[in-house]
């Protein structure tokens, strides 16, 4: 029996609702596929901050380092400054564990209506650079409260950071259609973005079957809304990737559906799996949250841990629950979080025979989408 220790940080708001829902599904999948998933829960997040003045303990990173993967819900609370909730937990984890790829699939699912008039299927992989770029603590504030108050925020791009994101994205593109789109803004951002373009081009030259198109991020945002089905793999900086993936998931029906994997592709450190959505304080505690993004992130985690058959089984289950009309309110349905989770559990059992023992291979770590 394969054993994996998984650190769980449900975090804030709806994270505390969708994480237990997803773990129930993962436990059922583990039973069927003879996996031993050991979940260790950490009560870190905004409530912890209000009690201790920090989002996680001083030795939080060391505590997480002993696990095979990290399963995160959401961070963010109206009672805690956003800079604290993000820079006190998620960003240090991404950086300390060199999770330099944030893989964010964007895909239409049967049973979920897209707001777009044209119903062509969408199947995009967004590769977001996850360790540098616009997310930088370099800078500062001067003359607070005075008329000359000013703020400087430096954007940091390195050859290493750009090339490893481009290499990962090109590898994915090579295993799919060979089409890679790079998000740029080299007409306006005149130092970092031409550098980004050059390093992407140099890197992609090593992949003869891959052609890269540079699209200005504003035009690419419009492209995602007007003709998303013509896009395949997108590589983008930290900020551009974050914005494009929220937009992309909304185009497929709801940000509540969107999963993500924060990957250390070398496996030297644990990778982290989380839905793209945040803590959604407006609906927290009401049983309205859509657990698909969290469950799908769980499937990406299973795939990363070397269990593509179990991952495919879990994806098939939530897909079939959606197809059968069991949606939460954000996708036009009437299910509560627990009703939808019950429908996924039923579908897991219904698909057990066809998926049990089928550990079919996949092309890239965490890349497979339903
Ligand atoms: N699901 C994790 C979460 O709560 N994310 C909120 C957020 O603001 N993330 C920013 C980011 O991914 O950079």
């Amino acid at each position: 029996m394969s054993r994996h220790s998984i650190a769980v940080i449900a975090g804030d708001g709806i994270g505390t609702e969708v994480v237990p829902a997803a773990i129930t599904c993962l436990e059922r999948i583990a039973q069927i596929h003879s996996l031993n998933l050991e979940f260790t829960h950490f009560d870190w997040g905004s409530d912890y901050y209000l009690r201790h003045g920090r989002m996680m303990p001083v030795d939080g990173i060391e505590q997480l380092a002993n696990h095979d993967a990290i399963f995160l819900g959401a961070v963010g609370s109206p009672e805690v400054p956003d800079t604290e909730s993000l820079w006190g937990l998620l960003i240090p984890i991404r950086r300390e564990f060199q999770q330099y790829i944030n893989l964010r699939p964007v895909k239409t699912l049967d049973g979920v209506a897209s707001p777009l008039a044209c119903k062509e299927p969408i199947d995009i992989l967004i590769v977001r650079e996850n360790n540098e770029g616009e997310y930088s603590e370099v800078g500062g504030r001067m003359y607070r409260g005075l008329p000359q108050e000013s703020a400087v925020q430096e954007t940091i791009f390195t050859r290493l950071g750009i090339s490893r994101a481009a290499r990962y994205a090109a590898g994915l593109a090579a295993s799919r259609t060979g089409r890679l789109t790079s998000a740029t803004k080299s007409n306006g951002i005149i130092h970092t973005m031409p550098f980004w373009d050059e390093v992407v081009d140099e890197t992609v030259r090593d992949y003869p079957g891959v052609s890269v198109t540079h699209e200005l991020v504003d035009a690419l945002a419009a492209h995602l809304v007007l003709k998303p089905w013509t896009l395949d793999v997108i590589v983008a900086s930290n900020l551009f990737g974050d914005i494009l993936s929220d937009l992309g998931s909304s185009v497929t029906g709801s940000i509540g559906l969107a999963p993500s994997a924060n990957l250390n592709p070398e496996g030297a450190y644990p990778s982290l799996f989380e839905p793209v959505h945040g803590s959604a304080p407006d609906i927290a505690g009401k049983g309205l949250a859509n657990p698909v993004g969290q469950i799908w992130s769980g499937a990406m985690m299973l795939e990363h841990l070397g269990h593509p058959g179990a991952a495919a089984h879990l994806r098939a289950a939530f897909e079939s629950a959606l197809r059968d009309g069991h949606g939460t309110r954000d996708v036009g349905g009437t299910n509560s979080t627990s009703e939808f989770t019950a429908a996924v559990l039923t579908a897991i059992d219904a698909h057990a025979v066809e998926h049990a023992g089928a550990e079919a291979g996949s092309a890239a770590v965490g890349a497979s989408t339903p």
Side-chain angles (χ1 to χ4, degrees):
M1 186 180 264
S2 299
R3 180 189 162 276
H4 301 289
S5 70
I6 295 160
V8 179
I9 309 169
D12 304 329
I14 61 168
T16 62
E17 299 169 62
V18 293
V19 165
I23 288 182
T24 310
C25 298
L26 284 164
E27 282 174 336
R28 183 73 64 94
I29 286 282
Q31 222 174 12
I32 295 168
H33 292 264
S34 301
L35 307 176
N36 180 2
L37 302 182
E38 286 178 4
F39 296 100
T40 306
H41 295 264
F42 295 89
D43 67 342
W44 303 344
S46 294
D47 283 347
Y48 186 95
Y49 180 92
L50 293 173
R51 291 196 307 276
H52 301 280
R54 46 187 310 128
M55 292 292 285
M56 63 178 170
V58 180
D59 67 345
I61 295 292
E62 286 76 43
Q63 291 190 47
L64 295 174
N66 301 322
H67 294 81
D68 298 318
I70 305 162
F71 198 47
L72 177 92
V75 282
S77 159
E79 293 172 86
V80 175
D82 283 340
T83 45
E84 294 288 333
S85 52
L86 208 54
W87 283 89
L89 190 113
L90 189 50
I91 293 182
I93 295 172
R94 287 175 177 165
R95 293 191 177 187
E96 293 292 328
F97 293 140
Q98 287 292 293
Q99 295 164 353
Y100 58 84
I101 298 297
N102 190 342
L103 182 61
R104 296 184 158 194
V106 171
K107 195 173 190 302
T108 36
L109 298 166
D110 288 348
V112 179
S114 159
L116 301 186
C118 182
K119 303 300 178 203
E120 294 275 343
I122 302 166
D123 183 3
I124 301 168
L125 289 176
I126 297 182
V127 176
R128 170 190 180 191
E129 196 294 315
N130 211 30
N131 276 177
E132 56 179 45
E134 306 86 346
Y135 280 48
S136 150
E137 64 269 58
V138 180
R141 293 269 291 268
M142 288 168 68
Y143 303 119
R144 283 177 192 254
L146 297 177
Q148 66 269 42
E149 182 167 2
S150 52
V152 174
Q153 173 88 47
E154 299 290 354
T155 296
I156 310 292
F157 282 97
T158 65
R159 181 173 293 281
L160 173 73
I162 303 168
S163 61
R164 61 192 182 179
R167 200 171 304 116
Y168 190 88
L172 284 181
S175 71
R176 290 162 58 103
T177 63
R179 282 181 289 113
L180 176 63
T181 305
S182 173
T184 186
K185 192 63 192 173
S186 47
N187 57 348
I189 313 291
I190 59 164
H191 299 302
T192 52
M193 279 293 131
F195 179 50
W196 170 277
D197 295 349
E198 281 165 35
V199 178
V200 168
D201 278 338
E202 280 167 30
T203 308
V204 173
R205 248 177 248 137
D206 291 341
Y207 297 79
V210 175
S211 66
V212 63
T213 307
H214 298 277
E215 276 195 49
L216 297 174
V217 68
D218 47 335
L220 182 53
H223 189 167
L224 256 173
V225 171
L226 296 172
K227 282 189 172 184
W229 54 89
T230 62
L231 291 160
D232 186 13
V233 180
I234 296 174
V235 63
S237 68
N238 213 330
L239 178 64
F240 291 173
D242 192 38
I243 296 169
L244 292 172
S245 53
D246 277 29
L247 175 63
S249 61
S250 301
V251 159
T252 64
S254 169
I255 193 172
L257 302 165
S260 83
N262 297 264
L263 298 169
N264 171 249
E266 293 78 22
Y269 302 100
S271 292
L272 180 148
F273 301 83
E274 54 159 342
V276 167
H277 66 70
S279 56
D282 53 328
I283 59 160
K286 298 181 179 163
L288 298 174
N290 186 344
V292 169
Q294 190 79 52
I295 298 171
W296 192 348
S297 301
M300 293 178 88
M301 180 171 72
L302 288 175
E303 185 143 7
H304 179 76
L305 293 172
H307 305 291
H313 185 177
L314 184 53
R315 290 194 302 265
F318 72 70
E319 278 190 286
S320 113
L322 287 170
R323 198 180 308 115
D324 293 346
H326 293 284
T328 44
R329 211 175 57 167
D330 56 310
V331 292
T334 57
N335 271 197
S336 64
T337 309
S338 55
E339 286 166 341
F340 182 79
T341 308
V344 177
L345 291 171
T346 303
I348 289 173
D349 292 344
H351 288 268
V353 174
E354 74 201 74
H355 284 277
E359 291 288 293
S362 69
V365 164
S368 188
T369 61

